[in-house]
Amino acid sequence: MQEPEITEDLVASHGFTPEEYQEVLRILNREPTFTELGIFSAMWNEHCSYKSSKKWLKDLPTTGPQVICGPGENAGIVDIGDGQAVVFKMESHNHPSYIEPYQGAATGVGGILRDIFTMGARPVAAMNALSFGEPGHPRTRRLVSGVVEGIGGYGNAFGVPTTGGEVRLHSSYNGNCLVNAFAAGIVDADKIFYSAASGVGMPVVYLGAKTGRDGVGGATMASAEFDEDSEDKRPTVQVGDPFTEKRLLEACLELMATGAVISIQDMGAAGLTCSAVEMGDKGGLGVRLNLDAVPQREDAMTAYEMMLSESQERMLMVLKPAFEAEAKAIFEKWDLDFAIVGETMEEDRFLVMHQGETKADLPLSRLSSSAPEYNRSWVETPPPAPLSDVPEIDPIEGLKALVGSPNYARKQWVWEQYDSQVMANTVRTPGRGPG
């Protein structure tokens, strides 16, 4: 397949500012290939690089005597004593849920559950915080029903209890909903797994479901502002399969118990690109990928599509070579794909091969460490207006107004769609206080 010519319009459609693209040219000292342009776009967008929020996130406290793992890994870890730790992750899936409510919310749940068991923990609970527009807004009913159904559909089938959450409706969210998903898991403090690759010439292994064209460019979509063409972005929303993810959970935990795993990374935003780059960058290594070995569920996929696909229920792992046969047998037992798709390299290089051709040859560390970082202009929130005298109101009328507000109404219709007692460990169910 002939790759498209790199034009100003193509560059702009990948989310680059003119200055950012000039930095790409400076790093490479040449024009990028189409696949390389996609890789830079994926790694430098807001969703993966935090280029606008990183300045502020650095100010947050992230250390403490109980903190085992702070920001920078798949999930945070806090010591809870007795040789155990709680692993937790909270993440938003706002843009995908606004475009395609069911799958956007479902894959948000699936993504944070993978983040939990990537660290070696078994997920034990999930929660969510949802914000929608006014009840009378034309999109609100579809968004509420789709998001709630998606959360329940994925979490229930995967087999993790949804033990609590919140729902609110306000005009501020008419233009885009907020879908925040949370998951927690338990792990032995001496059996935690991290994503930094180590060792030169170690096999890089693809695990889980096959790669398709769903979610191609999803991270870039999630970093863009919405407009009247937002509905056209529906193909960039991922499609989840909770039953496959349940098998992936069991296969990963079984393999981790053998001592075969050097490092492991969830294929989330930007898929194969982000997982491979992050593993190599954290370990100070390069990565070579052979896309001919990537399991595919669609015909004639290009290197660009495979590198940017966000097909769900996939992992990337650096494996101890002696355990290859044992690892493959475990994943075949769970009816999941297992494929050696590359190896680690000593040099700072991200080399992507497909059908005998070099599709990308980039300095790996520059994809992560050289991502632009901005100090955006901002305006301080004005102080609230002084409180005026409270108007007199009939107490009964006031009570009716409170009771009649959707924000104070009982949310039983939401939590009854979630299985809150699967695994039989739930002490307090929704509606009775904190989960």
Side-chain angles (χ1 to χ4, degrees):
M1 177 181 174
Q2 184 71 30
E3 291 192 341
E5 180 185 356
I6 306 298
T7 64
E8 288 186 7
D9 288 343
L10 186 65
V11 170
S13 71
H14 280 72
F16 291 100
T17 65
E19 294 76 18
E20 288 171 350
Y21 184 63
Q22 286 302 311
E23 179 64 12
V24 171
L25 296 178
R26 190 192 67 78
I27 290 172
L28 298 181
N29 199 28
R30 59 173 172 82
E31 185 178 82
T33 66
F34 181 51
T35 301
E36 290 174 336
L37 184 72
I39 290 172
F40 266 107
S41 170
M43 293 304 301
W44 283 16
N45 61 45
E46 297 279 3
H47 193 80
C48 292
S49 73
Y50 298 89
K51 59 187 176 185
S52 294
S53 57
K54 188 180 294 185
K55 166 184 167 54
W56 306 103
L57 294 173
K58 289 177 180 177
D59 294 336
L60 298 176
T62 59
T63 59
Q66 283 79 40
V67 177
I68 296 175
C69 178
E73 271 293 341
N74 287 288
I77 306 178
V78 173
D79 192 331
I80 57 175
D82 295 327
Q84 290 191 313
V86 60
V87 181
F88 57 91
K89 180 68 173 286
M90 183 173 179
E91 188 171 286
S92 65
H93 233 225
N94 310 329
H95 278 32
S97 299
Y98 188 78
I99 296 171
E100 172 37 60
Y102 183 95
Q103 292 295 349
T107 54
V109 173
I112 59 164
L113 289 171
R114 284 195 305 279
D115 287 331
I116 298 302
F117 66 81
T118 299
M119 306 294 291
R122 179 174 291 277
V124 296
M127 299 178 73
N128 56 78
L130 313 176
S131 299
F132 302 101
E134 296 170 295
H137 190 273
R139 293 189 65 100
T140 298
R141 180 180 292 273
R142 175 174 175 267
L143 288 171
V144 172
S145 61
V147 166
V148 171
E149 187 179 356
I151 291 172
Y154 204 102
N156 296 353
F158 177 83
V160 62
T162 299
T163 59
E166 66 176 14
V167 178
R168 59 179 171 177
L169 298 100
H170 192 274
S171 59
S172 299
Y173 306 102
N174 285 343
N176 191 11
C177 56
L178 295 187
V179 177
N180 293 310
F182 169 90
I186 299 296
V187 67
D188 289 340
D190 61 348
K191 296 177 182 176
I192 297 169
F193 289 83
Y194 297 95
S195 59
S198 65
V200 175
M202 294 297 164
V204 176
V205 185
Y206 174 114
L207 307 166
K210 288 179 168 54
T211 295
R213 291 187 171 93
D214 53 311
V216 172
T220 300
M221 173 276 293
S223 305
E225 293 185 4
F226 277 171
D227 53 30
E228 63 274 10
D229 298 323
S230 295
E231 286 293 333
D232 297 337
K233 299 175 181 178
R234 190 180 301 271
T236 63
V237 178
Q238 311 91 335
V239 178
D241 179 357
F243 299 104
T244 297
E245 180 137 324
K246 171 63 174 176
R247 301 200 314 273
L248 183 61
L249 160 71
E250 300 300 342
C252 286
L253 295 184
E254 184 175 339
L255 181 58
M256 288 169 172
T258 68
V261 180
I262 296 175
S263 60
I264 184 168
Q265 175 70 41
D266 159 45
M267 282 196 226
L272 191 54
T273 289
C274 193
S275 56
V277 169
E278 287 188 353
M279 292 178 82
D281 186 54
K282 291 174 184 176
L285 296 170
V287 175
R288 179 185 186 277
L289 294 179
N290 173 24
L291 299 186
D292 297 339
V294 172
Q296 303 163 50
R297 67 167 182 263
E298 299 185 47
D299 295 331
M301 290 191 69
T302 64
Y304 178 95
E305 290 171 331
M306 282 186 274
M307 292 304 296
L308 299 186
S309 168
E310 294 183 11
S311 294
Q312 298 290 283
E313 294 86 39
R314 302 180 301 159
M315 293 281 191
L316 202 64
M317 176 185 295
V318 177
L319 182 71
K320 294 178 182 177
F323 289 86
E324 180 182 332
E326 184 176 359
K328 185 176 182 180
I330 289 173
F331 276 79
E332 287 181 345
K333 180 186 77 173
W334 288 100
D335 194 23
L336 294 166
D337 280 290
F338 175 99
I340 296 177
V341 296
E343 64 178 3
T344 57
M345 300 189 298
E346 186 173 7
E347 56 188 313
D348 179 20
R349 193 176 180 193
F350 189 39
L351 184 61
V352 179
M353 306 295 296
H354 185 222
Q355 297 178 347
E357 296 182 8
T358 300
K359 294 298 183 179
D361 191 352
L362 303 168
L364 186 145
S365 64
R366 305 304 293 274
L367 292 168
S368 179
S369 61
S370 294
E373 188 174 326
Y374 295 113
N375 182 10
R376 306 281 190 187
S377 59
W378 57 282
V379 178
E380 188 170 345
T381 303
L387 293 175
S388 58
D389 293 335
V390 178
E392 289 190 11
I393 186 172
D394 182 77
I396 298 300
E397 293 302 316
L399 180 60
K400 287 181 179 179
L402 288 174
V403 173
S405 168
N407 284 315
Y408 296 109
R410 188 170 172 83
K411 304 300 190 301
Q412 187 172 352
W413 58 274
V414 173
W415 76 64
E416 284 189 343
Q417 298 184 54
Y418 306 148
D419 189 337
S420 61
Q421 300 187 68
V422 64
M423 299 177 69
N425 290 323
T426 304
V427 176
R428 180 182 288 159
T429 56
R432 298 182 179 179

